[in-house]
Amino acid sequence: MGVQRFLRIGITVADLDRQAGFFRDALGLDCGPLRVEDDPARLDLLGLPRGTVLRIAEIRVGQQVLELAQFDPPGRPYPAKPASNDPWFQHVALVYGDINAVWQRLQGHHAGTVTQGRPDLLPPNTGGVTAFKFRDPEGHPLELIAFPPGAGAPVWQDGTGSGIIGYDHSAVVVTDLAESLAFYRDILGFRIASRSLNQGPEQDRLDGLQGCLVDVVALAPSEAAVPHIELLHYRTPASLRLRAEVGARDIASARQIHQTGELDAIVIRARAAGIRFVSPGIVTPGDGGRAATLRDPDGHMIVLTDRA
């Protein structure tokens, strides 16, 4: 069984009010009320010292949620001159009906560009989607994506309209594809849903890089096809392993949060395989359920919980 559902994505921000305003005003998303999280077990889950203050805002993305988190004291700022093949790279793919309308709306909201030019139509072997990558005002990468008829999960074909529908996946850069597949498939229980080798001028424009040759592997949880994880393995230009791990308070931090009915079994498998843990094993947050946080081979942070 392993991971059953990809519940949500957590993103660390420096200015929670400004970031919530960007998602609301630039992307047209609903922002829930800000709250202060004071459960010590939550800090243990993220490997943070007691006394750290955590403020959270939930951004509603269709039927899904993005969790923005601001920490006091804060961590390191987003690294300068970021690129699509950075080892800490993790983006969220937001699905829109009218991608060009959203792209035009972004122009007045201080969004950073990744894709060169307008949203790009990708080749048929990559799904024939139209996509555009950009960065929010703090540097976090995001993607706009629109599916043509018959492509993507069925949910994206049902009355798309012109606004946001949800997010299809979160993509992470990995440096050793075989090692990452062994982790996500054999330890966490994801299944390979699709894979492709992307290259050409369209991919170069999309990523803002030159000479891209990238393996894209979609990994689906056992009980829900979306959202899912995508592994991005850049053969060229190659990515390098991180020299220092990204902590939960660092602005480049993003966390996958997954539900599983096999938390104990996954933790046992992970420990046997020498996987690094962020939390001191399994912890019990005050809202019930149990959870643990570990890192994939490239340091991306993953929270596993047995509570929906």
Side-chain angles (χ1 to χ4, degrees):
M1 182 189 302
V3 167
Q4 297 164 287
R5 291 181 176 83
F6 186 168
L7 293 178
R8 59 191 180 279
I9 301 168
I11 301 174
T12 298
V13 302
D15 187 326
L16 186 60
D17 298 303
R18 179 184 65 178
Q19 287 296 95
F22 173 80
F23 280 90
R24 181 189 63 239
D25 299 336
L27 298 176
L29 299 172
D30 293 330
C31 177
L34 306 185
R35 72 176 192 271
V36 176
E37 179 64 71
D38 58 2
D39 182 359
R42 293 289 182 191
L43 300 179
D44 294 341
L45 191 61
L46 298 177
L48 297 175
R50 302 295 172 88
T52 303
V53 177
L54 169 58
R55 298 174 65 230
I56 292 175
E58 291 188 349
I59 307 297
R60 177 61 61 180
V61 188
Q63 298 300 311
Q64 299 144 359
V65 168
L66 287 175
E67 184 179 272
L68 306 183
Q70 179 180 340
F71 297 92
D72 185 17
R76 294 171 294 180
Y78 207 93
K81 299 181 180 179
S84 295
N85 64 336
D86 288 330
W88 63 84
F89 180 96
Q90 178 171 348
H91 80 229
V92 183
L94 306 169
V95 184
Y96 283 86
D98 188 344
I99 192 171
N100 286 294
V102 179
W103 174 77
Q104 292 174 350
R105 182 175 180 174
L106 276 173
Q107 305 312 300
H109 288 278
H110 308 289
T113 58
V114 174
T115 298
Q116 300 168 359
R118 301 177 65 91
D120 209 0
L121 176 62
L122 301 184
N125 73 297
T126 65
V129 302
T130 300
F132 178 83
K133 293 181 181 179
F134 65 103
R135 294 182 183 273
D136 71 18
E138 292 187 356
H140 307 101
L142 299 163
E143 182 179 39
L144 303 177
I145 187 168
F147 292 95
V155 66
W156 307 136
Q157 301 293 323
D158 184 17
T160 56
S162 60
I164 191 167
I165 310 163
Y167 56 84
D168 180 70
H169 64 270
S170 181
V172 296
V173 167
V174 301
T175 54
D176 185 321
L177 184 56
E179 186 180 16
S180 293
L181 282 174
F183 171 78
Y184 281 95
R185 180 187 56 209
D186 302 339
I187 294 177
L188 298 188
F190 283 88
R191 63 176 177 84
I192 297 177
S194 67
R195 61 191 306 167
S196 63
L197 181 61
N198 295 6
Q199 60 185 314
E202 298 91 350
Q203 190 68 41
D204 287 357
R205 288 195 297 270
L206 178 67
D207 287 344
L209 298 171
Q210 294 296 317
C212 284
L213 185 61
V214 54
D215 298 284
V216 181
V217 182
L219 300 173
S222 63
E223 295 185 6
V226 292
H228 60 268
I229 298 296
E230 284 191 359
L231 305 183
L232 306 178
H233 173 244
Y234 284 84
R235 301 185 188 183
T236 59
S239 302
L240 300 176
R241 283 269 168 100
L242 282 171
R243 294 183 179 179
E245 289 182 336
V246 176
R249 291 185 297 190
D250 296 336
I251 308 305
S253 177
R255 296 163 290 281
Q256 308 169 27
I257 304 170
H258 302 293
Q259 181 186 8
T260 177
E262 295 185 338
L263 182 60
D264 292 283
I266 290 177
V267 167
I268 290 171
R269 291 198 295 267
R271 290 202 184 282
I275 299 301
R276 294 166 290 166
F277 277 72
V278 176
S279 64
I282 296 175
V283 302
T284 305
D287 61 356
R290 300 153 67 241
T293 304
L294 55 160
R295 292 186 184 275
D296 77 1
D298 290 281
H300 299 291
M301 197 176 294
I302 297 163
V303 180
L304 303 171
T305 177
D306 58 12
R307 179 184 175 90

PDB file of all heavy atoms in Angstrom, residues 208-236:
ATOM      1  N   GLY A 208      14.197  27.595 -19.110  1.00  0.00           N
ATOM      2  CA  GLY A 208      15.135  28.715 -19.088  1.00  0.00           C
ATOM      3  C   GLY A 208      16.585  28.255 -19.072  1.00  0.00           C
ATOM      4  O   GLY A 208      17.455  28.929 -18.508  1.00  0.00           O
ATOM      5  N   LEU A 209      16.851  27.095 -19.686  1.00  0.00           N
ATOM      6  CA  LEU A 209      18.194  26.515 -19.733  1.00  0.00           C
ATOM      7  C   LEU A 209      18.553  26.210 -21.180  1.00  0.00           C
ATOM      8  O   LEU A 209      17.715  26.327 -22.075  1.00  0.00           O
ATOM      9  CB  LEU A 209      18.251  25.228 -18.898  1.00  0.00           C
ATOM     10  CG  LEU A 209      17.980  25.359 -17.393  1.00  0.00           C
ATOM     11  CD1 LEU A 209      17.851  23.979 -16.759  1.00  0.00           C
ATOM     12  CD2 LEU A 209      19.084  26.169 -16.711  1.00  0.00           C
ATOM     13  N   GLN A 210      19.796  25.783 -21.403  1.00  0.00           N
ATOM     14  CA  GLN A 210      20.255  25.414 -22.733  1.00  0.00           C
ATOM     15  C   GLN A 210      20.653  23.944 -22.755  1.00  0.00           C
ATOM     16  O   GLN A 210      21.291  23.446 -21.831  1.00  0.00           O
ATOM     17  CB  GLN A 210      21.456  26.278 -23.147  1.00  0.00           C
ATOM     18  CG  GLN A 210      21.132  27.751 -23.329  1.00  0.00           C
ATOM     19  CD  GLN A 210      20.155  28.004 -24.464  1.00  0.00           C
ATOM     20  OE1 GLN A 210      20.276  27.398 -25.536  1.00  0.00           O
ATOM     21  NE2 GLN A 210      19.198  28.882 -24.242  1.00  0.00           N
ATOM     22  N   GLY A 211      20.269  23.249 -23.830  1.00  0.00           N
ATOM     23  CA  GLY A 211      20.682  21.869 -24.004  1.00  0.00           C
ATOM     24  C   GLY A 211      20.057  20.907 -23.026  1.00  0.00           C
ATOM     25  O   GLY A 211      20.695  19.941 -22.588  1.00  0.00           O
ATOM     26  N   CYS A 212      18.790  21.098 -22.701  1.00  0.00           N
ATOM     27  CA  CYS A 212      18.117  20.239 -21.717  1.00  0.00           C
ATOM     28  C   CYS A 212      17.939  18.819 -22.253  1.00  0.00           C
ATOM     29  O   CYS A 212      17.505  18.617 -23.385  1.00  0.00           O
ATOM     30  CB  CYS A 212      16.745  20.797 -21.364  1.00  0.00           C
ATOM     31  SG  CYS A 212      16.792  22.218 -20.267  1.00  0.00           S
ATOM     32  N   LEU A 213      18.270  17.874 -21.431  1.00  0.00           N
ATOM     33  CA  LEU A 213      17.944  16.470 -21.641  1.00  0.00           C
ATOM     34  C   LEU A 213      17.531  15.952 -20.271  1.00  0.00           C
ATOM     35  O   LEU A 213      18.368  15.754 -19.392  1.00  0.00           O
ATOM     36  CB  LEU A 213      19.139  15.699 -22.189  1.00  0.00           C
ATOM     37  CG  LEU A 213      18.898  14.231 -22.560  1.00  0.00           C
ATOM     38  CD1 LEU A 213      17.847  14.125 -23.664  1.00  0.00           C
ATOM     39  CD2 LEU A 213      20.191  13.558 -22.971  1.00  0.00           C
ATOM     40  N   VAL A 214      16.217  15.801 -20.072  1.00  0.00           N
ATOM     41  CA  VAL A 214      15.702  15.558 -18.729  1.00  0.00           C
ATOM     42  C   VAL A 214      14.741  14.379 -18.716  1.00  0.00           C
ATOM     43  O   VAL A 214      13.796  14.322 -19.504  1.00  0.00           O
ATOM     44  CB  VAL A 214      15.035  16.842 -18.157  1.00  0.00           C
ATOM     45  CG1 VAL A 214      13.985  17.394 -19.083  1.00  0.00           C
ATOM     46  CG2 VAL A 214      14.444  16.589 -16.777  1.00  0.00           C
ATOM     47  N   ASP A 215      15.020  13.421 -17.828  1.00  0.00           N
ATOM     48  CA  ASP A 215      14.080  12.336 -17.560  1.00  0.00           C
ATOM     49  C   ASP A 215      12.964  12.876 -16.673  1.00  0.00           C
ATOM     50  O   ASP A 215      13.231  13.504 -15.641  1.00  0.00           O
ATOM     51  CB  ASP A 215      14.766  11.191 -16.814  1.00  0.00           C
ATOM     52  CG  ASP A 215      15.892  10.558 -17.614  1.00  0.00           C
ATOM     53  OD1 ASP A 215      15.583   9.792 -18.538  1.00  0.00           O
ATOM     54  OD2 ASP A 215      17.072  10.833 -17.288  1.00  0.00           O
ATOM     55  N   VAL A 216      11.721  12.633 -17.062  1.00  0.00           N
ATOM     56  CA  VAL A 216      10.562  13.029 -16.259  1.00  0.00           C
ATOM     57  C   VAL A 216       9.786  11.757 -15.911  1.00  0.00           C
ATOM     58  O   VAL A 216       9.279  11.068 -16.798  1.00  0.00           O
ATOM     59  CB  VAL A 216       9.652  14.019 -17.018  1.00  0.00           C
ATOM     60  CG1 VAL A 216       8.475  14.434 -16.145  1.00  0.00           C
ATOM     61  CG2 VAL A 216      10.450  15.248 -17.457  1.00  0.00           C
ATOM     62  N   VAL A 217       9.727  11.447 -14.632  1.00  0.00           N
ATOM     63  CA  VAL A 217       9.052  10.236 -14.172  1.00  0.00           C
ATOM     64  C   VAL A 217       7.927  10.637 -13.229  1.00  0.00           C
ATOM     65  O   VAL A 217       8.168  11.260 -12.192  1.00  0.00           O
ATOM     66  CB  VAL A 217      10.021   9.282 -13.448  1.00  0.00           C
ATOM     67  CG1 VAL A 217       9.290   8.005 -13.027  1.00  0.00           C
ATOM     68  CG2 VAL A 217      11.205   8.942 -14.347  1.00  0.00           C
ATOM     69  N   ALA A 218       6.687  10.303 -13.605  1.00  0.00           N
ATOM     70  CA  ALA A 218       5.526  10.583 -12.763  1.00  0.00           C
ATOM     71  C   ALA A 218       5.293   9.411 -11.821  1.00  0.00           C
ATOM     72  O   ALA A 218       5.246   8.252 -12.257  1.00  0.00           O
ATOM     73  CB  ALA A 218       4.291  10.817 -13.626  1.00  0.00           C
ATOM     74  N   LEU A 219       5.153   9.701 -10.533  1.00  0.00           N
ATOM     75  CA  LEU A 219       4.939   8.684  -9.505  1.00  0.00           C
ATOM     76  C   LEU A 219       3.597   8.945  -8.831  1.00  0.00           C
ATOM     77  O   LEU A 219       3.355  10.035  -8.314  1.00  0.00           O
ATOM     78  CB  LEU A 219       6.052   8.743  -8.458  1.00  0.00           C
ATOM     79  CG  LEU A 219       7.475   8.505  -8.990  1.00  0.00           C
ATOM     80  CD1 LEU A 219       8.485   8.769  -7.886  1.00  0.00           C
ATOM     81  CD2 LEU A 219       7.615   7.095  -9.520  1.00  0.00           C
ATOM     82  N   ALA A 220       2.738   7.945  -8.825  1.00  0.00           N
ATOM     83  CA  ALA A 220       1.389   8.099  -8.289  1.00  0.00           C
ATOM     84  C   ALA A 220       1.235   7.346  -6.971  1.00  0.00           C
ATOM     85  O   ALA A 220       1.756   6.238  -6.812  1.00  0.00           O
ATOM     86  CB  ALA A 220       0.355   7.591  -9.293  1.00  0.00           C
ATOM     87  N   PRO A 221       0.489   7.925  -6.004  1.00  0.00           N
ATOM     88  CA  PRO A 221       0.137   7.186  -4.787  1.00  0.00           C
ATOM     89  C   PRO A 221      -0.798   6.031  -5.125  1.00  0.00           C
ATOM     90  O   PRO A 221      -1.339   5.950  -6.234  1.00  0.00           O
ATOM     91  CB  PRO A 221      -0.565   8.246  -3.924  1.00  0.00           C
ATOM     92  CG  PRO A 221      -0.241   9.560  -4.541  1.00  0.00           C
ATOM     93  CD  PRO A 221      -0.020   9.299  -5.993  1.00  0.00           C
ATOM     94  N   SER A 222      -1.028   5.151  -4.161  1.00  0.00           N
ATOM     95  CA  SER A 222      -1.802   3.942  -4.438  1.00  0.00           C
ATOM     96  C   SER A 222      -3.286   4.200  -4.637  1.00  0.00           C
ATOM     97  O   SER A 222      -3.955   3.443  -5.342  1.00  0.00           O
ATOM     98  CB  SER A 222      -1.604   2.928  -3.306  1.00  0.00           C
ATOM     99  OG  SER A 222      -2.102   3.428  -2.075  1.00  0.00           O
ATOM    100  N   GLU A 223      -3.840   5.276  -4.042  1.00  0.00           N
ATOM    101  CA  GLU A 223      -5.289   5.447  -4.076  1.00  0.00           C
ATOM    102  C   GLU A 223      -5.772   6.694  -4.792  1.00  0.00           C
ATOM    103  O   GLU A 223      -6.983   6.892  -4.930  1.00  0.00           O
ATOM    104  CB  GLU A 223      -5.845   5.447  -2.641  1.00  0.00           C
ATOM    105  CG  GLU A 223      -5.665   4.112  -1.918  1.00  0.00           C
ATOM    106  CD  GLU A 223      -6.334   4.107  -0.551  1.00  0.00           C
ATOM    107  OE1 GLU A 223      -7.025   5.095  -0.213  1.00  0.00           O
ATOM    108  OE2 GLU A 223      -6.166   3.109   0.173  1.00  0.00           O
ATOM    109  N   ALA A 224      -4.881   7.565  -5.244  1.00  0.00           N
ATOM    110  CA  ALA A 224      -5.307   8.795  -5.916  1.00  0.00           C
ATOM    111  C   ALA A 224      -4.270   9.175  -6.958  1.00  0.00           C
ATOM    112  O   ALA A 224      -3.079   9.283  -6.647  1.00  0.00           O
ATOM    113  CB  ALA A 224      -5.490   9.928  -4.911  1.00  0.00           C
ATOM    114  N   ALA A 225      -4.708   9.387  -8.188  1.00  0.00           N
ATOM    115  CA  ALA A 225      -3.774   9.699  -9.277  1.00  0.00           C
ATOM    116  C   ALA A 225      -3.247  11.124  -9.202  1.00  0.00           C
ATOM    117  O   ALA A 225      -2.132  11.406  -9.650  1.00  0.00           O
ATOM    118  CB  ALA A 225      -4.457   9.471 -10.621  1.00  0.00           C
ATOM    119  N   VAL A 226      -4.039  12.034  -8.672  1.00  0.00           N
ATOM    120  CA  VAL A 226      -3.624  13.430  -8.519  1.00  0.00           C
ATOM    121  C   VAL A 226      -4.013  13.915  -7.123  1.00  0.00           C
ATOM    122  O   VAL A 226      -5.028  13.491  -6.579  1.00  0.00           O
ATOM    123  CB  VAL A 226      -4.272  14.347  -9.587  1.00  0.00           C
ATOM    124  CG1 VAL A 226      -3.733  14.037 -10.966  1.00  0.00           C
ATOM    125  CG2 VAL A 226      -5.783  14.251  -9.575  1.00  0.00           C
ATOM    126  N   PRO A 227      -3.154  14.801  -6.608  1.00  0.00           N
ATOM    127  CA  PRO A 227      -1.850  15.170  -7.158  1.00  0.00           C
ATOM    128  C   PRO A 227      -0.854  14.019  -7.022  1.00  0.00           C
ATOM    129  O   PRO A 227      -1.064  13.091  -6.252  1.00  0.00           O
ATOM    130  CB  PRO A 227      -1.427  16.379  -6.326  1.00  0.00           C
ATOM    131  CG  PRO A 227      -2.261  16.344  -5.096  1.00  0.00           C
ATOM    132  CD  PRO A 227      -3.482  15.552  -5.377  1.00  0.00           C
ATOM    133  N   HIS A 228       0.252  14.134  -7.785  1.00  0.00           N
ATOM    134  CA  HIS A 228       1.284  13.116  -7.730  1.00  0.00           C
ATOM    135  C   HIS A 228       2.648  13.800  -7.718  1.00  0.00           C
ATOM    136  O   HIS A 228       2.733  15.024  -7.711  1.00  0.00           O
ATOM    137  CB  HIS A 228       1.161  12.150  -8.913  1.00  0.00           C
ATOM    138  CG  HIS A 228       1.292  12.808 -10.246  1.00  0.00           C
ATOM    139  ND1 HIS A 228       0.205  13.278 -10.957  1.00  0.00           N
ATOM    140  CD2 HIS A 228       2.382  13.079 -11.024  1.00  0.00           C
ATOM    141  CE1 HIS A 228       0.617  13.806 -12.095  1.00  0.00           C
ATOM    142  NE2 HIS A 228       1.929  13.710 -12.159  1.00  0.00           N
ATOM    143  N   ILE A 229       3.703  12.985  -7.695  1.00  0.00           N
ATOM    144  CA  ILE A 229       5.072  13.491  -7.691  1.00  0.00           C
ATOM    145  C   ILE A 229       5.679  13.286  -9.075  1.00  0.00           C
ATOM    146  O   ILE A 229       5.413  12.286  -9.738  1.00  0.00           O
ATOM    147  CB  ILE A 229       5.923  12.753  -6.635  1.00  0.00           C
ATOM    148  CG1 ILE A 229       5.363  12.992  -5.229  1.00  0.00           C
ATOM    149  CG2 ILE A 229       7.386  13.189  -6.705  1.00  0.00           C
ATOM    150  CD1 ILE A 229       5.421  14.431  -4.797  1.00  0.00           C
ATOM    151  N   GLU A 230       6.496  14.231  -9.511  1.00  0.00           N
ATOM    152  CA  GLU A 230       7.311  14.033 -10.703  1.00  0.00           C
ATOM    153  C   GLU A 230       8.779  14.177 -10.329  1.00  0.00           C
ATOM    154  O   GLU A 230       9.159  15.128  -9.639  1.00  0.00           O
ATOM    155  CB  GLU A 230       6.952  15.032 -11.808  1.00  0.00           C
ATOM    156  CG  GLU A 230       5.670  14.696 -12.535  1.00  0.00           C
ATOM    157  CD  GLU A 230       5.463  15.520 -13.788  1.00  0.00           C
ATOM    158  OE1 GLU A 230       6.323  16.377 -14.093  1.00  0.00           O
ATOM    159  OE2 GLU A 230       4.436  15.320 -14.464  1.00  0.00           O
ATOM    160  N   LEU A 231       9.581  13.236 -10.771  1.00  0.00           N
ATOM    161  CA  LEU A 231      11.027  13.317 -10.610  1.00  0.00           C
ATOM    162  C   LEU A 231      11.619  13.914 -11.883  1.00  0.00           C
ATOM    163  O   LEU A 231      11.309  13.461 -12.996  1.00  0.00           O
ATOM    164  CB  LEU A 231      11.628  11.929 -10.375  1.00  0.00           C
ATOM    165  CG  LEU A 231      11.056  11.116  -9.213  1.00  0.00           C
ATOM    166  CD1 LEU A 231      11.812   9.801  -9.074  1.00  0.00           C
ATOM    167  CD2 LEU A 231      11.073  11.892  -7.912  1.00  0.00           C
ATOM    168  N   LEU A 232      12.452  14.941 -11.728  1.00  0.00           N
ATOM    169  CA  LEU A 232      13.130  15.583 -12.856  1.00  0.00           C
ATOM    170  C   LEU A 232      14.613  15.280 -12.741  1.00  0.00           C
ATOM    171  O   LEU A 232      15.283  15.760 -11.822  1.00  0.00           O
ATOM    172  CB  LEU A 232      12.901  17.102 -12.829  1.00  0.00           C
ATOM    173  CG  LEU A 232      11.453  17.588 -12.771  1.00  0.00           C
ATOM    174  CD1 LEU A 232      11.418  19.113 -12.708  1.00  0.00           C
ATOM    175  CD2 LEU A 232      10.653  17.077 -13.956  1.00  0.00           C
ATOM    176  N   HIS A 233      15.116  14.473 -13.652  1.00  0.00           N
ATOM    177  CA  HIS A 233      16.533  14.105 -13.639  1.00  0.00           C
ATOM    178  C   HIS A 233      17.210  14.721 -14.859  1.00  0.00           C
ATOM    179  O   HIS A 233      17.015  14.269 -15.992  1.00  0.00           O
ATOM    180  CB  HIS A 233      16.683  12.582 -13.654  1.00  0.00           C
ATOM    181  CG  HIS A 233      18.102  12.123 -13.817  1.00  0.00           C
ATOM    182  ND1 HIS A 233      18.544  11.419 -14.915  1.00  0.00           N
ATOM    183  CD2 HIS A 233      19.185  12.322 -13.034  1.00  0.00           C
ATOM    184  CE1 HIS A 233      19.831  11.176 -14.789  1.00  0.00           C
ATOM    185  NE2 HIS A 233      20.255  11.709 -13.665  1.00  0.00           N
ATOM    186  N   TYR A 234      17.974  15.784 -14.619  1.00  0.00           N
ATOM    187  CA  TYR A 234      18.635  16.490 -15.710  1.00  0.00           C
ATOM    188  C   TYR A 234      19.947  15.780 -16.052  1.00  0.00           C
ATOM    189  O   TYR A 234      20.916  15.844 -15.301  1.00  0.00           O
ATOM    190  CB  TYR A 234      18.898  17.949 -15.321  1.00  0.00           C
ATOM    191  CG  TYR A 234      17.659  18.811 -15.360  1.00  0.00           C
ATOM    192  CD1 TYR A 234      16.792  18.851 -14.268  1.00  0.00           C
ATOM    193  CD2 TYR A 234      17.338  19.543 -16.493  1.00  0.00           C
ATOM    194  CE1 TYR A 234      15.634  19.617 -14.304  1.00  0.00           C
ATOM    195  CE2 TYR A 234      16.187  20.316 -16.539  1.00  0.00           C
ATOM    196  CZ  TYR A 234      15.344  20.347 -15.440  1.00  0.00           C
ATOM    197  OH  TYR A 234      14.198  21.108 -15.484  1.00  0.00           O
ATOM    198  N   ARG A 235      19.925  15.119 -17.220  1.00  0.00           N
ATOM    199  CA  ARG A 235      21.182  14.552 -17.717  1.00  0.00           C
ATOM    200  C   ARG A 235      22.108  15.682 -18.148  1.00  0.00           C
ATOM    201  O   ARG A 235      23.315  15.660 -17.892  1.00  0.00           O
ATOM    202  CB  ARG A 235      20.911  13.611 -18.887  1.00  0.00           C
ATOM    203  CG  ARG A 235      19.986  12.434 -18.554  1.00  0.00           C
ATOM    204  CD  ARG A 235      19.886  11.483 -19.751  1.00  0.00           C
ATOM    205  NE  ARG A 235      18.874  10.450 -19.539  1.00  0.00           N
ATOM    206  CZ  ARG A 235      18.632   9.464 -20.395  1.00  0.00           C
ATOM    207  NH1 ARG A 235      19.326   9.385 -21.530  1.00  0.00           N
ATOM    208  NH2 ARG A 235      17.688   8.571 -20.142  1.00  0.00           N
ATOM    209  N   THR A 236      21.518  16.660 -18.847  1.00  0.00           N
ATOM    210  CA  THR A 236      22.216  17.904 -19.168  1.00  0.00           C
ATOM    211  C   THR A 236      21.200  19.048 -19.103  1.00  0.00           C
ATOM    212  O   THR A 236      20.050  18.863 -19.507  1.00  0.00           O
ATOM    213  CB  THR A 236      22.827  17.882 -20.584  1.00  0.00           C
ATOM    214  OG1 THR A 236      21.805  17.662 -21.556  1.00  0.00           O
ATOM    215  CG2 THR A 236      23.885  16.796 -20.683  1.00  0.00           C
TER     216      THR A 236
END
